[in-house]
């Protein structure tokens, strides 16, 4: 296998640990992985290794949640790839926008492995919208349309902020979709960046909210001045008002002529001043340090810093820190709320960057950083601010107070649930390759049909009413033959085939030969699907039972939830116990659950076949 050769080569690298090698193997086996780790653990190194390897195979999309994050891994922004713009519209409208863009649809369809760096900056609502768009464009009800995911980031950061309302959102892992999408979550804990060991230990203490005496003394020592010119420092503040004051103070120290830029506004000015990243009035000089406020292309992205080197016909010419020189002209910013445009502002997409908010600094790093902890008010703010410094010698800390160090407790609890190295290695002995299909669960047109719930609420699992639903849809035992055929054609894992052989499913051609308890489970599933359909059906004026396309989407969504519910798994376990398979190691790497899902999909295809035979039932298109 290709992964074995890759692991042999990587074993020669000093920085590659067993856990990193395990991550590579999981990716090669087509499992979806969340990758996290403290600073200096080699997460970026491993991510680049995976990108280089998978890019050669094709179908690998490398994205970042922000422009800076994308630039750091030589990818594109998540929003650009997805074709969703700012992503503030409803899920249904976003899907409509993407479906009208042939290039965006093609990108989604060709995607095999979807890599997202700095996933912590994506809120649960946007995460669910992306899943909805992926399913719709790929015509598949699998999570993210069957795309393999590699999500990387550190949730010990600030809560994501909605671009639409400016309000805090929930982290991705709060969404019930998180567990459905990801097979393994791995944290890299070993530290290899030994030249900054003191800084890394300090950051780890701040990250956990437990400041040791050593770290406390170190923070008190970092009040000394930095060995650089005052205008070479980046000053980080919790609030933008303080950042603006720092910018004005530093700007006044610059000599030379001042150029002024007044925005052209339309709409509600109060909302523009509150929500638009560009200010209504901008002053610049030659040698002023600025930050870009909008993505211009793949390498000039939101958050990129640079220096004004001259003015050309009244517009600033910037030499960015990646050495690119570009003239910056006014562009339009759109402010929306609840899918309604509140106003537009046309302005030069720049701002001074001597002072910045801690939130704006995420995903960036600086040579010289001054951090004022006096007004820290949010969990994770202190950690984000201190971790922006590249070195201990370039970090200047003001107003340190141990009470200001506030870790996020829900994040700490989440990290306790991650897979250990031992758990992963035990799974490799029996872990089958994860076969991802671009279409499944029957030929169902999902575009614009699956209902979307946000923010990240737990989906309702419909409970089957224990009634004789066969009266609503009568079927013969021979109708269930399609389930056996589906299993024979679609179950490619040897481990799953062995599992089903014990149940006498794979060799069986006659449903009547099956164990009665298994037949009861099959009937229960058919009843479940039938009941969901019956609850949404209507009878028209000529007596024909119809099911609107939107309601068909509701049924499909219910199936999506059922596949990952305890209700289904408990029924399956109960069935196996009656059959006499209670000694099966049901928790071994999820094989029991995978068998249950495969069998339920087979029953769903049978259900579709039965429905197709009913002359007086049809789905409105």
């Amino acid at each position: 296998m290709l992964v074995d050769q890759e692991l042999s080569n990587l074993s020669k690298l000093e920085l590659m640990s067993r856990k990193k090698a395990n991550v590579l193997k999981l990716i090669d086996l087509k499992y979806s992985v969340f990758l996290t780790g403290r600073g200096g653990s080699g997460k970026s190194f491993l991510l680049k290794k995976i990108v280089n390897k998978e890019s050669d195979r094709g179908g690998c999309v490398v994205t970042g949640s922000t422009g800076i994050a994308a630039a750091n891994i030589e990818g594109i922004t998540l929003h650009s790839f997805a074709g969703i713009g700012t992503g503030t519209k409803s899920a249904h409208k976003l899907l409509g926008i993407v479906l009208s863009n042939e290039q965006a649809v093609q990108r989604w369809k060709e995607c095999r492995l979807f890599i997202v760096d700095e996933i912590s900056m994506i809120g649960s609502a946007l995460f669910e919208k992306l899943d909805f768009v992926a399913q719709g464009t790929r015509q598949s009800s699998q999570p993210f349309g069957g795309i393999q995911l590699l999500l990387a980031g550190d949730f010990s950061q600030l809560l994501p902020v909605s671009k639409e309302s400016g309000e805090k959102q929930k982290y991705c892992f709060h969404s019930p979709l998180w567990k459905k999408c990801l097979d393994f979550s791995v944290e890299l804990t070993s530290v290899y960046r030994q030249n900054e060991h003191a800084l890394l230990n300090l950051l780890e203490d701040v990250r956990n909210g437990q400041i040791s005496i050593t770290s406390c003394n170190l923070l008190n020592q970092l009040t000394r001045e930095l060995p650089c010119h005052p205008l070479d420092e980046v000053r980080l503040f919790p609030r933008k008002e303080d950042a603006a004051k720092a910018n004005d103070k530093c700007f006044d120290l610059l000599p030379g002529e001042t150029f002024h830029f007044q925005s052209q506004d339309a709409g509600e000015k109060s909302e523009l001043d509150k929500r638009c990243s560009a200010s209504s009035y901008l002053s610049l000089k030659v040698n002023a340090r600025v930050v870009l406020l909008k993505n211009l292309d793949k390498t000039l992205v939101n958050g990129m810093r640079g220096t004004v080197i001259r003015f050309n016909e009244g517009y600033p010419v910037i030499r960015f820190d990646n050495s690119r020189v570009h003239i910056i002209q006014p562009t339009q910013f759109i402010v929306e709320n609840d899918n309604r445009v509140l106003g537009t502002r046309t302005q030069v997409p720049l701002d001074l960057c001597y002072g910045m908010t801690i939130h704006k600094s995420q995903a960036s790093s600086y040579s010289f950083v001054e951090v004022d902890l006096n007004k820290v008010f949010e969990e994770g703010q202190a950690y984000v601010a201190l971790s922006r410094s590249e070195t201990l010698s370039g970090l200047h800390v003001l107003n340190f107070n141990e009470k200001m160090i506030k870790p996020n407790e829900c994040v700490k609890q989440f990290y306790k649930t991650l897979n250990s190295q031992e758990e992963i290695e035990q799974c490799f002995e029996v872990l089958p390759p994860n076969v991802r299909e671009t279409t499944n669960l029957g030929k169902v047109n999902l575009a614009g049909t699956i209902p979307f719930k946000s923010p990240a609420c737990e989906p309702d699992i419909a409970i089957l009413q224990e009634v004789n639903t066969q009266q609503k849809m009568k079927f013969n035992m021979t109708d269930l033959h399609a389930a056996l055929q589906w299993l024979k054609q679609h179950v490619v894992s040897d481990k799953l085939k062995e599992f089903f052989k014990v149940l006498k499913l794979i060799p069986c051609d006659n449903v009547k030969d099956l164990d009665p308890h298994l037949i009861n489970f099959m009937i229960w599933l058919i009843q479940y699907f039938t009941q969901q359909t019956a609850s949404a059906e209507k009878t028209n004026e000529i007596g024909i039972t119809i099911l609107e396309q939107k309601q068909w989407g509701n049924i499909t969504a219910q199936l999506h939830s059922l596949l990952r519910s305890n209700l289904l798994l408990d029924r399956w376990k109960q069935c196996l116990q009656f059959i006499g398979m209670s000694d099966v190691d049901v928790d071994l790497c999820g094989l029991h659950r995978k068998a249950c899902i495969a069998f339920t999909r087979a029953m769903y295809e049978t259900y579709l076949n039965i429905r197709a035979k009913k002359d007086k039932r049809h789905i409105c298109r």
Side-chain angles (χ1 to χ4, degrees), residues 160-176:
V161 174
S162 170
K163 293 185 179 181
E164 183 177 29
S165 63
E167 299 177 353
K168 302 294 186 205
Q169 299 184 41
K170 292 184 178 181
Y171 291 112
C172 284
F173 65 78
H174 283 125
S175 169

Side-chain angles (χ1 to χ4, degrees), residues 84-117:
I84 59 173
T86 59
T88 57
K89 298 183 183 298
S90 69
H92 287 283
K93 288 188 177 181
L94 290 178
L95 179 57
I97 292 171
V98 173
L99 290 176
S100 65
N101 183 339
E102 292 184 4
Q103 292 181 336
V105 172
Q106 192 66 20
R107 290 196 299 268
W108 277 111
K109 288 184 176 181
E110 293 177 353
C111 181
R112 173 183 58 84
L113 173 62
F114 190 20
I115 299 176
V116 183
D117 195 18

Side-chain angles (χ1 to χ4, degrees), residues 175-189:
S175 169
L177 181 65
W178 181 265
K179 291 183 179 179
K180 298 176 183 179
C181 290
L182 295 165
D183 301 300
F184 293 92
S185 296
V186 183
E187 181 179 18
L188 306 179
T189 53

Side-chain angles (χ1 to χ4, degrees), residues 198-216:
L199 175 60
L200 295 174
N201 285 339
L202 168 63
L203 294 178
E204 186 65 12
D205 284 354
V206 176
R207 184 175 186 248
N208 295 327
Q210 299 175 345
I211 306 300
S212 64
I213 296 177
T214 302
S215 295
C216 186

Side-chain angles (χ1 to χ4, degrees), residues 199 203 365-367 369 385-395:
L199 175 60
L203 294 178
S365 59
Y366 311 110
S367 299
V369 184
L386 295 172
S387 60
R388 297 311 95 197
S389 179
E390 295 175 351
T391 63
L392 191 63
S393 60
L395 178 60

Side-chain angles (χ1 to χ4, degrees), residues 200-254:
L200 295 174
N201 285 339
L202 168 63
L203 294 178
E204 186 65 12
D205 284 354
V206 176
R207 184 175 186 248
N208 295 327
Q210 299 175 345
I211 306 300
S212 64
I213 296 177
T214 302
S215 295
C216 186
N217 292 335
L218 182 57
L219 284 168
N220 288 323
Q221 295 172 11
L222 294 177
T223 56
R224 79 284 184 269
E225 296 295 326
L226 292 177
C228 66
H229 191 278
L231 295 182
D232 291 334
E233 298 179 21
V234 176
R235 298 157 181 82
L236 300 182
F237 302 90
R239 301 184 184 278
K240 62 181 180 181
E241 294 81 5
D242 295 325
K245 291 178 181 178
N247 277 328
D248 293 339
K249 183 178 179 180
C250 292
F251 185 77
D252 291 338
L253 299 177
L254 283 173

